[in-house]
mmCIF file of all heavy atoms in Angstrom:
data_model
loop_
_atom_site.group_PDB
_atom_site.id
_atom_site.type_symbol
_atom_site.label_atom_id
_atom_site.label_comp_id
_atom_site.label_asym_id
_atom_site.label_seq_id
_atom_site.Cartn_x
_atom_site.Cartn_y
_atom_site.Cartn_z
ATOM 1 N N GLU A 284 -7.183 9.284 -17.394
ATOM 2 C CA GLU A 284 -6.232 8.810 -18.415
ATOM 3 C C GLU A 284 -4.909 9.596 -18.312
ATOM 4 O O GLU A 284 -4.967 10.818 -18.189
ATOM 5 C CB GLU A 284 -6.811 8.860 -19.824
ATOM 6 C CG GLU A 284 -5.973 8.177 -20.845
ATOM 7 C CD GLU A 284 -6.648 8.042 -22.134
ATOM 8 O OE1 GLU A 284 -7.915 8.105 -22.290
ATOM 9 O OE2 GLU A 284 -5.896 7.951 -23.182
ATOM 10 N N GLY A 285 -3.866 8.819 -18.342
ATOM 11 C CA GLY A 285 -2.459 9.434 -18.236
ATOM 12 C C GLY A 285 -1.946 9.692 -16.897
ATOM 13 O O GLY A 285 -0.912 10.125 -16.624
ATOM 14 N N ARG A 286 -2.745 9.303 -15.884
ATOM 15 C CA ARG A 286 -2.372 9.434 -14.497
ATOM 16 C C ARG A 286 -2.208 7.983 -13.952
ATOM 17 O O ARG A 286 -2.705 6.997 -14.404
ATOM 18 C CB ARG A 286 -3.299 10.132 -13.705
ATOM 19 C CG ARG A 286 -3.595 11.639 -14.057
ATOM 20 C CD ARG A 286 -4.199 12.424 -13.047
ATOM 21 N NE ARG A 286 -4.280 13.774 -13.456
ATOM 22 C CZ ARG A 286 -3.368 14.654 -13.102
ATOM 23 N NH1 ARG A 286 -2.455 14.384 -12.442
ATOM 24 N NH2 ARG A 286 -3.618 15.979 -13.508
ATOM 25 N N CYS A 287 -1.294 7.953 -12.979
ATOM 26 C CA CYS A 287 -1.003 6.614 -12.287
ATOM 27 C C CYS A 287 -0.596 6.983 -10.890
ATOM 28 O O CYS A 287 -0.585 8.190 -10.495
ATOM 29 C CB CYS A 287 0.034 5.857 -12.945
ATOM 30 S SG CYS A 287 1.692 6.597 -13.122
ATOM 31 N N THR A 288 -0.198 6.013 -10.073
ATOM 32 C CA THR A 288 0.275 6.226 -8.775
ATOM 33 C C THR A 288 1.741 5.805 -8.615
ATOM 34 O O THR A 288 2.050 4.803 -9.295
ATOM 35 C CB THR A 288 -0.565 5.653 -7.670
ATOM 36 O OG1 THR A 288 -0.565 4.212 -7.864
ATOM 37 C CG2 THR A 288 -2.010 6.184 -7.710
ATOM 38 N N VAL A 289 2.529 6.432 -7.686
ATOM 39 C CA VAL A 289 3.765 5.998 -7.395
ATOM 40 C C VAL A 289 3.969 5.780 -5.904
ATOM 41 O O VAL A 289 3.375 6.586 -5.190
ATOM 42 C CB VAL A 289 4.889 6.945 -7.988
ATOM 43 C CG1 VAL A 289 4.913 6.926 -9.471
ATOM 44 C CG2 VAL A 289 4.700 8.329 -7.403
ATOM 45 N N GLY A 290 4.676 4.748 -5.444
ATOM 46 C CA GLY A 290 4.852 4.562 -4.032
ATOM 47 C C GLY A 290 5.886 5.516 -3.500
ATOM 48 O O GLY A 290 6.896 5.832 -4.084
ATOM 49 N N THR A 291 5.512 6.033 -2.301
ATOM 50 C CA THR A 291 6.369 6.977 -1.615
ATOM 51 C C THR A 291 6.715 6.507 -0.138
ATOM 52 O O THR A 291 7.708 7.077 0.402
ATOM 53 C CB THR A 291 5.800 8.414 -1.621
ATOM 54 O OG1 THR A 291 4.503 8.311 -0.963
ATOM 55 C CG2 THR A 291 5.617 8.879 -3.040
ATOM 56 N N LEU A 292 6.049 5.803 0.411
ATOM 57 C CA LEU A 292 6.248 5.319 1.761
ATOM 58 C C LEU A 292 5.757 3.974 1.970
ATOM 59 O O LEU A 292 4.506 3.636 1.585
ATOM 60 C CB LEU A 292 5.606 6.338 2.718
ATOM 61 C CG LEU A 292 5.747 6.046 4.322
ATOM 62 C CD1 LEU A 292 7.151 6.188 4.647
ATOM 63 C CD2 LEU A 292 4.847 6.871 5.083
ATOM 64 N N LEU A 293 6.461 3.061 2.737
ATOM 65 C CA LEU A 293 5.940 1.764 3.091
ATOM 66 C C LEU A 293 6.433 1.429 4.468
ATOM 67 O O LEU A 293 7.679 1.481 4.788
ATOM 68 C CB LEU A 293 6.494 0.775 2.091
ATOM 69 C CG LEU A 293 6.003 -0.724 2.351
ATOM 70 C CD1 LEU A 293 4.461 -0.813 2.066
ATOM 71 C CD2 LEU A 293 6.731 -1.645 1.450
ATOM 72 N N GLN A 294 5.512 1.269 5.346
ATOM 73 C CA GLN A 294 5.791 0.869 6.775
ATOM 74 C C GLN A 294 5.293 -0.523 6.876
ATOM 75 O O GLN A 294 4.073 -0.684 6.952
ATOM 76 C CB GLN A 294 5.092 1.808 7.760
ATOM 77 C CG GLN A 294 5.563 3.242 7.754
ATOM 78 C CD GLN A 294 4.730 4.085 8.554
ATOM 79 O OE1 GLN A 294 3.516 4.062 8.574
ATOM 80 N NE2 GLN A 294 5.405 4.995 9.295
ATOM 81 N N LEU A 295 6.197 -1.542 6.991
ATOM 82 C CA LEU A 295 5.877 -2.889 6.900
ATOM 83 C C LEU A 295 6.438 -3.647 8.068
ATOM 84 O O LEU A 295 7.634 -3.667 8.291
ATOM 85 C CB LEU A 295 6.396 -3.456 5.533
ATOM 86 C CG LEU A 295 6.234 -4.845 5.146
ATOM 87 C CD1 LEU A 295 6.116 -4.988 3.749
ATOM 88 C CD2 LEU A 295 7.175 -5.850 5.757
ATOM 89 N N GLU A 296 5.584 -4.349 8.824
ATOM 90 C CA GLU A 296 6.048 -5.197 9.743
ATOM 91 C C GLU A 296 5.978 -6.751 9.246
ATOM 92 O O GLU A 296 4.737 -7.132 8.925
ATOM 93 C CB GLU A 296 5.006 -5.226 11.089
ATOM 94 C CG GLU A 296 5.177 -3.961 11.846
ATOM 95 C CD GLU A 296 4.279 -4.022 13.056
ATOM 96 O OE1 GLU A 296 4.667 -4.679 14.059
ATOM 97 O OE2 GLU A 296 3.178 -3.569 12.919
ATOM 98 N N HIS A 297 7.036 -7.342 8.995
ATOM 99 C CA HIS A 297 7.067 -8.703 8.537
ATOM 100 C C HIS A 297 7.091 -9.595 9.717
ATOM 101 O O HIS A 297 8.155 -9.761 10.364
ATOM 102 C CB HIS A 297 8.281 -8.922 7.586
ATOM 103 C CG HIS A 297 8.108 -10.027 6.690
ATOM 104 N ND1 HIS A 297 8.970 -10.334 5.594
ATOM 105 C CD2 HIS A 297 7.341 -11.070 6.652
ATOM 106 C CE1 HIS A 297 8.762 -11.439 5.089
ATOM 107 N NE2 HIS A 297 7.710 -11.926 5.638
ATOM 108 N N LEU A 298 5.936 -10.210 9.950
ATOM 109 C CA LEU A 298 5.695 -10.991 11.274
ATOM 110 C C LEU A 298 6.001 -12.458 11.230
ATOM 111 O O LEU A 298 6.223 -13.046 12.286
ATOM 112 C CB LEU A 298 4.219 -10.757 11.688
ATOM 113 C CG LEU A 298 3.823 -9.284 11.740
ATOM 114 C CD1 LEU A 298 2.308 -9.141 11.918
ATOM 115 C CD2 LEU A 298 4.473 -8.623 12.938
ATOM 116 N N ALA A 299 5.952 -13.059 10.133
ATOM 117 C CA ALA A 299 6.036 -14.515 10.024
ATOM 118 C C ALA A 299 6.624 -14.836 8.620
ATOM 119 O O ALA A 299 6.391 -14.235 7.687
ATOM 120 C CB ALA A 299 4.736 -15.190 10.188
ATOM 121 N N ALA A 300 7.344 -16.014 8.604
ATOM 122 C CA ALA A 300 7.976 -16.540 7.405
ATOM 123 C C ALA A 300 7.052 -17.400 6.664
ATOM 124 O O ALA A 300 6.334 -18.293 7.256
ATOM 125 C CB ALA A 300 9.209 -17.241 7.662
ATOM 126 N N THR A 301 7.072 -17.336 5.284
ATOM 127 C CA THR A 301 6.239 -18.317 4.522
ATOM 128 C C THR A 301 7.262 -19.012 3.667
ATOM 129 O O THR A 301 8.073 -18.443 2.933
ATOM 130 C CB THR A 301 5.291 -17.447 3.580
ATOM 131 O OG1 THR A 301 4.470 -16.615 4.444
ATOM 132 C CG2 THR A 301 4.428 -18.397 2.811
ATOM 133 N N PRO A 302 7.188 -20.407 3.784
ATOM 134 C CA PRO A 302 8.148 -21.304 3.065
ATOM 135 C C PRO A 302 7.852 -21.469 1.611
ATOM 136 O O PRO A 302 6.765 -21.064 1.066
ATOM 137 C CB PRO A 302 8.071 -22.552 3.873
ATOM 138 C CG PRO A 302 6.683 -22.596 4.239
ATOM 139 C CD PRO A 302 6.271 -21.224 4.594
ATOM 140 N N LEU A 303 8.891 -21.960 0.936
ATOM 141 C CA LEU A 303 8.706 -22.371 -0.453
ATOM 142 C C LEU A 303 7.455 -23.253 -0.666
ATOM 143 O O LEU A 303 7.160 -24.032 0.235
ATOM 144 C CB LEU A 303 9.920 -23.059 -1.016
ATOM 145 C CG LEU A 303 11.050 -22.396 -1.521
ATOM 146 C CD1 LEU A 303 12.196 -23.223 -1.692
ATOM 147 C CD2 LEU A 303 10.785 -21.551 -2.682
ATOM 148 N N GLY A 304 6.720 -22.994 -1.727
ATOM 149 C CA GLY A 304 5.459 -23.834 -1.957
ATOM 150 C C GLY A 304 4.209 -23.199 -1.312
ATOM 151 O O GLY A 304 3.105 -23.557 -1.730
ATOM 152 N N GLY A 305 4.386 -22.237 -0.508
ATOM 153 C CA GLY A 305 3.261 -21.514 0.130
ATOM 154 C C GLY A 305 2.710 -20.505 -0.810
ATOM 155 O O GLY A 305 3.272 -20.299 -1.877
ATOM 156 N N ALA A 306 1.766 -19.750 -0.384
ATOM 157 C CA ALA A 306 1.237 -18.597 -1.087
ATOM 158 C C ALA A 306 0.813 -17.572 -0.149
ATOM 159 O O ALA A 306 0.591 -17.752 1.014
ATOM 160 C CB ALA A 306 0.045 -19.007 -1.976
ATOM 161 N N VAL A 307 0.951 -16.229 -0.607
ATOM 162 C CA VAL A 307 0.518 -15.147 0.246
ATOM 163 C C VAL A 307 -0.444 -14.259 -0.508
ATOM 164 O O VAL A 307 -0.473 -14.243 -1.686
ATOM 165 C CB VAL A 307 1.767 -14.298 0.712
ATOM 166 C CG1 VAL A 307 2.549 -15.036 1.715
ATOM 167 C CG2 VAL A 307 2.613 -13.869 -0.462
ATOM 168 N N THR A 308 -1.340 -13.604 0.345
ATOM 169 C CA THR A 308 -2.304 -12.738 -0.214
ATOM 170 C C THR A 308 -2.216 -11.380 0.451
ATOM 171 O O THR A 308 -2.307 -11.292 1.635
ATOM 172 C CB THR A 308 -3.785 -13.191 -0.083
ATOM 173 O OG1 THR A 308 -3.892 -14.514 -0.659
ATOM 174 C CG2 THR A 308 -4.836 -12.370 -0.626
ATOM 175 N N ALA A 309 -2.001 -10.350 -0.348
ATOM 176 C CA ALA A 309 -1.979 -9.046 0.186
ATOM 177 C C ALA A 309 -3.310 -8.373 -0.044
ATOM 178 O O ALA A 309 -3.924 -8.438 -1.119
ATOM 179 C CB ALA A 309 -0.886 -8.186 -0.444
ATOM 180 N N GLU A 310 -3.826 -7.712 1.067
ATOM 181 C CA GLU A 310 -5.167 -6.962 0.915
ATOM 182 C C GLU A 310 -4.888 -5.623 1.333
ATOM 183 O O GLU A 310 -4.304 -5.359 2.448
ATOM 184 C CB GLU A 310 -6.315 -7.720 1.756
ATOM 185 C CG GLU A 310 -6.591 -9.114 1.180
ATOM 186 C CD GLU A 310 -7.608 -9.828 1.931
ATOM 187 O OE1 GLU A 310 -7.895 -9.444 3.161
ATOM 188 O OE2 GLU A 310 -8.269 -10.636 1.251
ATOM 189 N N THR A 311 -5.343 -4.625 0.524
ATOM 190 C CA THR A 311 -5.161 -3.242 0.963
ATOM 191 C C THR A 311 -6.536 -2.608 1.009
ATOM 192 O O THR A 311 -7.492 -2.960 0.365
ATOM 193 C CB THR A 311 -4.336 -2.532 -0.130
ATOM 194 O OG1 THR A 311 -5.041 -2.593 -1.411
ATOM 195 C CG2 THR A 311 -2.872 -3.104 -0.265
ATOM 196 N N GLU A 312 -6.585 -1.442 1.771
ATOM 197 C CA GLU A 312 -7.700 -0.657 1.746
ATOM 198 C C GLU A 312 -7.251 0.823 1.752
ATOM 199 O O GLU A 312 -6.392 1.224 2.613
ATOM 200 C CB GLU A 312 -8.576 -0.883 3.038
ATOM 201 C CG GLU A 312 -9.847 0.053 3.091
ATOM 202 C CD GLU A 312 -10.587 -0.293 4.347
ATOM 203 O OE1 GLU A 312 -10.330 -1.041 5.158
ATOM 204 O OE2 GLU A 312 -11.660 0.429 4.442
ATOM 205 N N LEU A 313 -7.880 1.553 0.865
ATOM 206 C CA LEU A 313 -7.654 3.051 0.795
ATOM 207 C C LEU A 313 -8.317 3.684 2.007
ATOM 208 O O LEU A 313 -9.533 3.664 2.132
ATOM 209 C CB LEU A 313 -8.149 3.579 -0.524
ATOM 210 C CG LEU A 313 -7.839 5.058 -0.775
ATOM 211 C CD1 LEU A 313 -6.376 5.512 -0.629
ATOM 212 C CD2 LEU A 313 -8.512 5.390 -2.146
ATOM 213 N N VAL A 314 -7.536 4.225 2.987
ATOM 214 C CA VAL A 314 -8.111 4.716 4.220
ATOM 215 C C VAL A 314 -8.060 6.309 4.252
ATOM 216 O O VAL A 314 -8.711 6.830 5.150
ATOM 217 C CB VAL A 314 -7.446 4.057 5.420
ATOM 218 C CG1 VAL A 314 -7.747 2.600 5.514
ATOM 219 C CG2 VAL A 314 -5.931 4.321 5.464
ATOM 220 N N GLU A 315 -7.184 6.850 3.454
ATOM 221 C CA GLU A 315 -7.172 8.345 3.438
ATOM 222 C C GLU A 315 -6.742 8.875 2.138
ATOM 223 O O GLU A 315 -5.982 8.372 1.416
ATOM 224 C CB GLU A 315 -5.994 8.819 4.535
ATOM 225 C CG GLU A 315 -5.848 10.241 4.713
ATOM 226 C CD GLU A 315 -4.715 10.518 5.692
ATOM 227 O OE1 GLU A 315 -4.325 9.796 6.485
ATOM 228 O OE2 GLU A 315 -4.209 11.680 5.543
ATOM 229 N N ILE A 316 -7.328 10.009 1.816
ATOM 230 C CA ILE A 316 -7.108 10.712 0.562
ATOM 231 C C ILE A 316 -6.847 12.203 0.923
ATOM 232 O O ILE A 316 -7.687 12.845 1.543
ATOM 233 C CB ILE A 316 -8.251 10.720 -0.523
ATOM 234 C CG1 ILE A 316 -8.584 9.330 -0.772
ATOM 235 C CG2 ILE A 316 -7.843 11.476 -1.660
ATOM 236 C CD1 ILE A 316 -9.921 9.168 -1.610
ATOM 237 N N ASP A 317 -5.641 12.652 0.715
ATOM 238 C CA ASP A 317 -5.229 14.105 0.987
ATOM 239 C C ASP A 317 -4.677 14.674 -0.410
ATOM 240 O O ASP A 317 -3.428 14.475 -0.722
ATOM 241 C CB ASP A 317 -4.148 14.076 1.979
ATOM 242 C CG ASP A 317 -3.714 15.541 2.378
ATOM 243 O OD1 ASP A 317 -4.362 16.524 1.909
ATOM 244 O OD2 ASP A 317 -2.708 15.594 3.059
ATOM 245 N N ARG A 318 -5.619 15.220 -1.077
ATOM 246 C CA ARG A 318 -5.231 15.664 -2.546
ATOM 247 C C ARG A 318 -4.644 14.641 -3.363
ATOM 248 O O ARG A 318 -5.448 13.666 -3.733
ATOM 249 C CB ARG A 318 -4.305 16.950 -2.479
ATOM 250 C CG ARG A 318 -4.937 18.187 -1.831
ATOM 251 C CD ARG A 318 -4.006 19.334 -1.643
ATOM 252 N NE ARG A 318 -2.891 18.947 -0.806
ATOM 253 C CZ ARG A 318 -2.653 19.603 0.358
ATOM 254 N NH1 ARG A 318 -3.464 20.483 0.762
ATOM 255 N NH2 ARG A 318 -1.721 19.237 1.220
ATOM 256 N N ARG A 319 -3.396 14.570 -3.631
ATOM 257 C CA ARG A 319 -2.844 13.516 -4.581
ATOM 258 C C ARG A 319 -2.206 12.427 -3.640
ATOM 259 O O ARG A 319 -1.788 11.455 -4.208
ATOM 260 C CB ARG A 319 -1.696 14.140 -5.396
ATOM 261 C CG ARG A 319 -2.203 15.229 -6.374
ATOM 262 C CD ARG A 319 -1.167 15.710 -7.378
ATOM 263 N NE ARG A 319 0.061 16.141 -6.817
ATOM 264 C CZ ARG A 319 1.217 15.627 -6.942
ATOM 265 N NH1 ARG A 319 1.383 14.684 -7.829
ATOM 266 N NH2 ARG A 319 2.289 16.120 -6.361
ATOM 267 N N ARG A 320 -2.205 12.627 -2.364
ATOM 268 C CA ARG A 320 -1.622 11.528 -1.566
ATOM 269 C C ARG A 320 -2.676 10.524 -1.079
ATOM 270 O O ARG A 320 -3.732 10.882 -0.659
ATOM 271 C CB ARG A 320 -0.947 12.109 -0.337
ATOM 272 C CG ARG A 320 -0.345 11.121 0.681
ATOM 273 C CD ARG A 320 0.385 11.806 1.868
ATOM 274 N NE ARG A 320 -0.608 12.381 2.759
ATOM 275 C CZ ARG A 320 -0.973 11.831 3.836
ATOM 276 N NH1 ARG A 320 -0.556 10.667 4.231
ATOM 277 N NH2 ARG A 320 -1.889 12.469 4.578
ATOM 278 N N LEU A 321 -2.332 9.228 -1.353
ATOM 279 C CA LEU A 321 -3.266 8.079 -1.015
ATOM 280 C C LEU A 321 -2.634 7.316 0.188
ATOM 281 O O LEU A 321 -1.517 6.932 -0.035
ATOM 282 C CB LEU A 321 -3.571 7.275 -2.178
ATOM 283 C CG LEU A 321 -4.089 8.035 -3.486
ATOM 284 C CD1 LEU A 321 -4.254 6.960 -4.686
ATOM 285 C CD2 LEU A 321 -5.340 8.832 -3.191
ATOM 286 N N VAL A 322 -3.392 7.020 1.145
ATOM 287 C CA VAL A 322 -2.877 6.186 2.209
ATOM 288 C C VAL A 322 -3.669 4.871 2.267
ATOM 289 O O VAL A 322 -4.959 4.875 2.405
ATOM 290 C CB VAL A 322 -2.987 6.956 3.560
ATOM 291 C CG1 VAL A 322 -2.477 6.020 4.772
ATOM 292 C CG2 VAL A 322 -2.230 8.269 3.527
ATOM 293 N N PHE A 323 -2.974 3.767 2.332
ATOM 294 C CA PHE A 323 -3.520 2.413 2.370
ATOM 295 C C PHE A 323 -3.122 1.738 3.639
ATOM 296 O O PHE A 323 -2.023 1.859 4.075
ATOM 297 C CB PHE A 323 -3.039 1.562 1.259
ATOM 298 C CG PHE A 323 -3.392 2.048 -0.189
ATOM 299 C CD1 PHE A 323 -2.568 3.024 -0.783
ATOM 300 C CD2 PHE A 323 -4.466 1.640 -0.821
ATOM 301 C CE1 PHE A 323 -2.934 3.549 -2.029
ATOM 302 C CE2 PHE A 323 -4.861 2.080 -2.043
ATOM 303 C CZ PHE A 323 -4.036 3.037 -2.693
#
């Protein structure tokens, strides 16, 4: 309680365009924990 996360780095390859009327789904997986640093 009282803790949260803040984003500090984002490496994003935007590979394809999605037009109006479409929908997108983002899926993440926590792959590394280094003390307070979380990598997805």
